[in-house]
């Protein structure tokens, strides 16, 4: 989990969080070396967006689930990874199973020994977007695997494979889209199926008029759009037979699950009871007083009253832990209190609940505990355990805030990755804010649960430990290490094609702003980097992780760090504001001050040309980019924003009744009120949307699907009306973080073209792009005529001026 993901309240489109896998880098292992920076080999070629798309990645770009899963008996290990196939516009996934003893023999063998082959593997290329294989988990007898496999219709099916059989077996029905599952064996499992009931039915579409009061703008005009993002699902289960829908015993209505309920699912040892999170129908009024939201998440405080459960996105709903009898449909609350995640305490992460082997104890990742059952403070949640025999709830460890009171990262904060019982003890796998891993162990001693120990570092897996070795400049390689001899060797390099590609140097970069805040980012040097020469600079926002090989940046939408660097442009990937402000209005200005300080330092070092600056915004950081374009001292010569928020007046109205008005509440926190009456004056003064006349930077505005395009209209329309250089692009997708190879090429290669045109005066000679450059040359003419006193570097301006600064 990256620091930016700590603020789950600060998402801009859905409640989906991107949790990146942190991996260990071992100095004792010889990692296969790919093309070095500055190689003189004539066969080497520059890195491109196509190379980025074809890169095999072990980490899940959408859910961040771990790619390595060890069997319960420790004898086998499953590994999966995916890549993009650009020519076919498909994704390709591989799932491999290795024998630990074979890996150990290879690790300790002489050099030159062939890498071990998997004992079982499948390769699938069934669909063009998303994640093809996900949720991989071992059966408890270690003889098989269960996982989700995306069909050619884009639906996730629950699959079970026995290692002695070549083909997996589908456990869910073919037309179902499975969002989450837990399984004991091939006759006892539970899963949730994406709901298909939308607000606007086929019957409504044939009616002459329909009352749409209370519906969002999106649901009225694009009734099918919400289904693509919806986390609403219905519970199915198999209890000794075929799967069936689980209905509530009294009402005979289905159990409705949302994201938190899906992530928390835990099937009891006998396979007949499910632990999960259900949304609360009527939230008790006293919860507002007893259970406070995480500091800084005031816009998502617990509110008493009836909740609207007839929604497709449940990110703002308040939930509680329950157990459900899968045979009868009866259910009961476990704690009678809200989950910590309901109030934006994020430390519980996406960990599932966990049952002890005898079914007596049920571990709860993050819940508030009622005052009469817990002697500590009641306003913060904790990791807790439920005794199903004594009907008692015990707090094992208080949940920490990710930030200290002064807004700095909290060193004692932990993010729960996994809970698991081993006999009478409970283990908690966790990560700190710094991404360091650890294991905390708790044990029941005469009815009193206590923490026994805390082990720092990644967990040991058995006779052989598998890790993904990668860093900022080295692509991912699967490495095995003998736990006894400490010998290690790479067993799989999924990207041999990069040996003929020149990878420009990237380095961790530090700077300090005028307020004394220390910043961190990744600096990607141009392919022709020469000390003393000044280069164009593009700032990429939205996080940075030096432990991972991420050629795009942290996201695959719009960003193209290495591809830009390969063309002679320096790129700075910025981690984000290093402090959590109590005042929401300071979020964007803090980030802008960071950009300004970075440019100042790079300019002083003589590495960049401050007149050739670009910046890319995506998702939430579109807001930061617009703050920079309307209020910064920096003179950006090109910018782009893709599928994001700007907290403007149009987006405020556009999002009414969408996702429980979450976007509107965030805007009100930023601008200290609603944009009506006297409050409107504050909006006019501070909102970038009301200061678009100040933007003289060529702005590329990109929407991901029709709904996103309408949301982005507020960026584009004012500049278009004012005859400022702007381009509006519609990507044919409803993805937010892009995985579709063709759409990724349009987005990322489009970024490369846009910034090369405005910062280098370069046009790709590819004839398929001729019309694109004809449009941009027209925009260049507007830019030159309206900014005659400023340097411009686009093609037409260079034709109009005799000097060329490149």
């Amino acid at each position: 989990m990256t620091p930016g993901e700590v603020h789950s309240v600060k998402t801009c489109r859905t409640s989906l969080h991107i949790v990146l896998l942190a991996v260990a880098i071992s100095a004792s292992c010889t990692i296969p070396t790919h093309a070095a920076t500055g190689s003189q080999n004539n066969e080497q070629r520059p890195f491109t967006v196509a190379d980025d798309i074809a890169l095999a990645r072990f980490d899940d770009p959408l859910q961040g689930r771990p790619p390595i899963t060890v069997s319960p008996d420790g004898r086998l290990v499953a590994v999966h990874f995916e890549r993009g196939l650009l020519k076919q516009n498909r994704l390709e996934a591989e799932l491999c199973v290795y024998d630990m003893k074979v890996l150990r023999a290879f690790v300790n063998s002489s050099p030159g020994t062939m890498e071990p082959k998997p004992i079982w593997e499948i390769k699938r290329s069934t669909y063009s977007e998303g994640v093809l294989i996900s949720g991989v988990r071992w059966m408890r007898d270690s003889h098989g695997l269960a996982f989700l496999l995306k069909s050619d219709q884009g639906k996730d099916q629950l699959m079970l494979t026995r290692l002695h059989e070549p083909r997996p077996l589908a456990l869910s029905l073919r037309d179902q889209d499975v969002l989450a599952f837990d399984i004991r064996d091939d006759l006892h499992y539970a899963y949730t199926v994406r709901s298909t009931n939308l607000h606007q039915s086929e019957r409504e579409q044939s009616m002459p008029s329909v009352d749409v009061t209370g519906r969002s703008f999106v649901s009225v005009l694009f009734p099918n759009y919400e289904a693509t993002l919806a986390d609403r699902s219905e519970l199915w289960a198999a209890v000794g037979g075929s799967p069936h829908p689980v209905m509530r015993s009294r009402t005979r209505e289905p159990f409705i699950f949302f994201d938190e309920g899906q992530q928390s699912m835990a099937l009891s040892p006998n396979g007949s009871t499910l632990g999960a999170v259900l949304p609360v129908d009527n939230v008790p009024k006293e919860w507002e007083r007893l259970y406070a939201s995480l500091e800084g998440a005031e816009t998502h405080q617990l509110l008493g009253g009836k909740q609207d459960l007839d929604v497709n996105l449940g990110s703002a709903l308040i939930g509680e832990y329950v157990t459900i009898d899968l045979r009868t449909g009866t259910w009961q609350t476990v704690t009678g209190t809200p989950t910590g995640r309901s109030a934006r305490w994020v430390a519980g992460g996406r960990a599932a609940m966990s049952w002890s082997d005898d079914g007596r104890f049920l571990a709860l990742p993050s819940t508030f505990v009622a005052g009469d059952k817990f002697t500590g403070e009641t306003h913060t949640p904790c990791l807790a355990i439920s005794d199903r025999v004594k009907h008692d709830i015990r707090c094992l460890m208080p949940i920490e805030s990710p930030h200290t009171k002064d807004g700095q990262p909290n060193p004692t904060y932990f993010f729960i990755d996994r809970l698991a019982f081993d006999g009478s003890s409970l283990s908690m796998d966790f990560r700190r804010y710094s991404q360091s891993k650890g294991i905390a162990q708790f044990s029941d001693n005469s009815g009193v649960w206590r923490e026994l120990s805390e082990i720092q570092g990644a967990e040991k897996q058995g006779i052989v430990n598998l890790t993904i070795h990668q860093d900022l400049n080295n692509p991912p390689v699967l490495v095995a290490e003998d736990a006894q001899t400490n010998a290690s060797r790479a067993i799989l390099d999924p990207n041999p094609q990069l040996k003929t590609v020149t990878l420009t140097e990237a380095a961790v970069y530090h700077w300090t702003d005028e307020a004394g805040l220390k910043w961190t980012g990744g600096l990607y040097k141009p392919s022709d980097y020469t000390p003393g020469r000044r280069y164009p600079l593009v700032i990429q926002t939205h996080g940075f992780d030096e432990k991972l090989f991420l050629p795009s940046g942290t996201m695959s939408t719009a960003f193209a760090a290495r591809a830009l660097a390969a063309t002679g442009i320096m790129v700075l990937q910025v981690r984000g504001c290093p402090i959590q402000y109590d005042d929401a209005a300071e979020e964007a200005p803090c980030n802008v001050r960071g950009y300004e300080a970075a440019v100042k330092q790079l300019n002083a070092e003589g590495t960049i040309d401050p007149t050739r600056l670009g910046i890319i915004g995506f998702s939430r950081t579109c807001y930061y980019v617009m703050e920079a374009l309307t209020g910064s001292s920096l003179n950006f010569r090109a910018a782009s924003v893709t599928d994001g928020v700007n907290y403007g007046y149009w987006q405020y109205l556009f999002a009414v009744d969408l996702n429980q008005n979450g976007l509107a509440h965030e805007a009100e926190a930023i601008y200290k009120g609603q944009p009506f009456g006297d409050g409107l004056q504050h909006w006019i003064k501070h909102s970038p949307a009301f200061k678009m006349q100040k933007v003289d930077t060529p702005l590329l505005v990109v929407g991901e699907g029709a709904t996103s395009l309408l949301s982005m209209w507020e960026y584009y329309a004012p500049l278009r009306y004012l005859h400022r250089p702007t381009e509006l692009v519609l990507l044919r997708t409803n993805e937010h973080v892009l995985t579709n190879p063709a759409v990724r090429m349009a987005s990322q290669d489009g970024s490369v073209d846009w910034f090369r045109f405005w910062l280098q005066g370069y046009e790709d000679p590819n004839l398929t792009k001729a019309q694109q450059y004809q449009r941009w040359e027209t925009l260049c003419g507007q830019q030159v005529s309206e900014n005659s006193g400023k340097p411009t570097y686009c093609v037409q301006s260079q034709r109009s001026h005799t000097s060329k600064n490149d």
Side-chain angles (χ1 to χ4, degrees), residues 38 300 323 351 426:
H300 294 273
T323 56
L426 174 69

Side-chain angles (χ1 to χ4, degrees), residues 156-170:
D156 283 317
Q157 287 186 287
L158 175 57
M159 312 297 291
L160 172 66
T161 183
R162 294 295 181 180
L163 298 184
H164 62 274
E165 299 174 352
R167 298 174 63 87
L169 170 70

Side-chain angles (χ1 to χ4, degrees), residues 624-773:
Y624 308 160
V625 169
M626 296 313 299
E627 180 77 14
L629 296 185
T630 58
S632 173
S633 60
L634 299 176
N635 292 314
F636 290 103
R637 304 321 309 151
S640 76
V641 286
T642 300
D643 194 25
V645 293
N646 66 351
Y647 295 109
Y649 186 73
W650 161 244
Q651 282 194 351
Y652 179 87
L653 297 179
F654 179 81
V656 169
D657 285 324
L658 180 66
N659 200 19
Q660 288 81 57
N661 290 311
L663 185 67
H665 294 325
E666 290 186 6
E668 290 165 3
I670 292 172
Y671 303 126
K672 315 298 183 185
Q674 299 176 339
F676 312 113
D678 294 339
L680 178 60
Q681 301 306 312
H682 199 78
W683 278 61
I684 292 173
K685 183 177 180 180
H686 296 283
S687 170
F690 285 106
K691 296 183 283 187
M692 296 298 286
Q693 77 282 357
K694 295 184 177 181
V695 178
D696 60 8
T697 301
L699 182 64
L700 178 65
V701 181
V702 183
E704 295 178 313
T707 301
S708 169
L709 194 74
L710 277 176
S711 178
M712 300 295 288
W713 192 260
E714 193 169 18
Y715 296 89
Y716 163 78
L719 298 181
R720 174 72 175 174
Y721 188 79
L722 294 171
H723 303 289
R724 307 289 171 83
T726 185
E727 174 103 331
L728 182 65
V729 174
L730 170 64
L731 297 178
R732 298 290 186 182
T733 182
N734 284 322
E735 287 193 293
H736 188 49
V737 179
L738 297 176
T739 61
N740 179 282
V743 179
R744 280 189 62 183
M745 175 59 74
S747 172
Q748 295 175 276
D749 200 50
S751 290
V752 174
D753 289 347
W754 180 259
F755 288 99
R756 294 204 72 185
F757 178 81
W758 293 102
L759 303 183
Q760 293 178 318
Y762 174 84
E763 291 186 6
D764 190 330
N766 188 331
L767 293 179
T768 63
K769 298 181 180 181
Q771 291 186 349
Q772 166 183 282
Y773 290 111

Side-chain angles (χ1 to χ4, degrees), residues 69-207:
T69 311
V70 179
S71 63
D73 62 11
R75 296 186 302 107
L76 304 171
V77 59
V79 180
H80 66 282
F81 55 90
E82 300 196 7
R83 60 170 61 86
L85 306 177
L86 187 58
K87 289 184 179 179
Q88 297 91 329
N89 191 28
R90 289 264 173 167
L91 299 175
E92 183 179 75
E94 294 189 46
L95 175 60
C96 309
V97 176
Y98 291 92
D99 187 305
M100 287 287 203
K101 290 184 178 179
V102 173
L103 293 182
R104 185 179 190 185
F106 170 72
V107 166
N108 292 285
S109 65
S110 59
T113 305
M114 291 293 293
E115 289 86 355
K117 299 295 184 181
I119 64 170
W120 181 91
E121 62 182 326
I122 61 170
K123 181 186 291 186
R124 293 289 187 269
S125 180
T126 54
Y127 201 61
S128 60
E129 64 182 44
V131 175
L132 300 190
I133 294 178
S134 61
V136 177
R137 68 186 67 186
W138 284 94
M139 303 303 291
R140 285 163 175 79
D141 61 7
S142 298
H143 292 160
L145 293 163
F147 54 90
L148 298 180
L149 175 64
K150 199 170 291 294
S151 70
D152 56 4
Q153 300 298 313
K155 296 180 178 180
D156 283 317
Q157 287 186 287
L158 175 57
M159 312 297 291
L160 172 66
T161 183
R162 294 295 181 180
L163 298 184
H164 62 274
E165 299 174 352
R167 298 174 63 87
L169 170 70
L171 296 182
S172 61
L173 304 184
R174 178 172 176 77
D175 62 343
Q176 293 178 327
D177 191 6
V178 178
L179 296 185
F181 72 94
D182 195 17
I183 185 169
R184 286 282 166 175
D185 54 49
D186 54 0
L187 294 177
H188 297 83
Y189 52 92
Y191 62 92
T192 69
V193 177
R194 188 185 301 275
S195 298
T196 57
N197 59 318
L198 299 176
H199 285 308
Q200 187 170 339
S201 64
E202 293 183 2
R203 177 176 175 273
E204 284 185 342
Q205 295 180 38
S206 63
M207 295 171 62

Side-chain angles (χ1 to χ4, degrees), residues 330-341:
T330 58
W331 65 278
Q332 60 181 356
T333 181
V334 176
T335 63
T337 60
T339 64
R341 187 170 162 186

Side-chain angles (χ1 to χ4, degrees), residues 109-422:
S109 65
S110 59
T113 305
M114 291 293 293
E115 289 86 355
K117 299 295 184 181
I119 64 170
W120 181 91
E121 62 182 326
I122 61 170
K123 181 186 291 186
R124 293 289 187 269
S125 180
T126 54
Y127 201 61
S128 60
E129 64 182 44
V131 175
L132 300 190
I133 294 178
S134 61
V136 177
R137 68 186 67 186
W138 284 94
M139 303 303 291
R140 285 163 175 79
D141 61 7
S142 298
H143 292 160
L145 293 163
F147 54 90
L148 298 180
L149 175 64
K150 199 170 291 294
S151 70
D152 56 4
Q153 300 298 313
K155 296 180 178 180
D156 283 317
Q157 287 186 287
L158 175 57
M159 312 297 291
L160 172 66
T161 183
R162 294 295 181 180
L163 298 184
H164 62 274
E165 299 174 352
R167 298 174 63 87
L169 170 70
L171 296 182
S172 61
L173 304 184
R174 178 172 176 77
D175 62 343
Q176 293 178 327
D177 191 6
V178 178
L179 296 185
F181 72 94
D182 195 17
I183 185 169
R184 286 282 166 175
D185 54 49
D186 54 0
L187 294 177
H188 297 83
Y189 52 92
Y191 62 92
T192 69
V193 177
R194 188 185 301 275
S195 298
T196 57
N197 59 318
L198 299 176
H199 285 308
Q200 187 170 339
S201 64
E202 293 183 2
R203 177 176 175 273
E204 284 185 342
Q205 295 180 38
S206 63
M207 295 171 62
S209 67
V210 179
D211 180 10
V212 296
T213 304
R215 300 183 186 178
S216 69
F217 185 82
V218 172
S219 68
V220 173
L221 292 189
F222 308 101
N224 294 324
Y225 172 77
E226 285 191 333
T228 65
L229 301 177
D231 60 355
R232 179 188 173 102
S233 62
E234 299 167 9
L235 180 62
W236 281 60
V239 187
S242 301
H244 62 275
V246 182
M247 313 299 285
R248 292 174 180 264
S249 59
R250 293 183 179 179
T251 63
R252 306 311 299 168
E253 295 177 346
F255 283 95
I256 302 301
F257 278 56
F258 293 95
D259 181 70
E260 186 178 11
Q262 295 152 15
Q263 299 299 328
S264 65
M265 288 172 55
L267 199 58
S268 65
N270 65 6
S272 64
T273 303
L274 183 71
V277 172
L278 289 180
V280 180
D281 188 6
N282 283 288
V283 179
K285 193 67 175 177
E286 60 267 24
W287 283 12
E288 296 181 10
R289 173 180 55 85
L290 292 174
Y291 312 120
S293 62
L294 177 67
E295 186 176 0
E298 289 78 8
T299 57
H300 294 273
Q301 285 182 333
L302 299 177
L303 296 177
K306 185 174 179 59
Q307 294 195 107
D308 179 12
L309 305 185
D310 188 24
V311 295
N312 283 318
L313 289 171
S315 58
L317 293 175
I318 298 168
E320 63 178 339
Y321 287 109
V322 302
T323 56
I324 302 171
D325 188 313
L326 299 177
R327 290 192 179 95
T328 65
T330 58
W331 65 278
Q332 60 181 356
T333 181
V334 176
T335 63
T337 60
T339 64
R341 187 170 162 186
S342 296
R344 298 309 188 264
W345 291 84
V346 297
R350 293 176 173 268
M353 305 160 73
S354 181
W355 293 86
S356 60
D357 292 339
D358 59 6
R360 174 176 177 176
F361 298 108
L362 183 58
L364 314 173
S366 177
T367 184
F368 291 93
V369 178
D372 60 344
K373 297 180 181 178
F374 175 44
T375 58
E377 296 182 9
T378 61
H379 69 275
T380 59
C382 60
L383 166 66
I385 194 159
S386 169
D387 188 326
R388 309 298 295 161
V389 173
K390 295 183 177 180
H391 304 286
D392 188 30
I393 308 294
R394 298 285 178 179
C395 181
L396 300 185
M397 179 179 288
I399 294 297
E400 297 272 359
S401 169
H403 291 91
T404 60
K405 291 184 179 180
D406 60 358
Q408 296 294 338
N410 182 0
T412 62
Y413 166 80
F414 61 91
F415 181 88
I416 302 175
D417 285 320
R418 179 174 174 267
L419 296 173
F421 277 94
D422 182 8

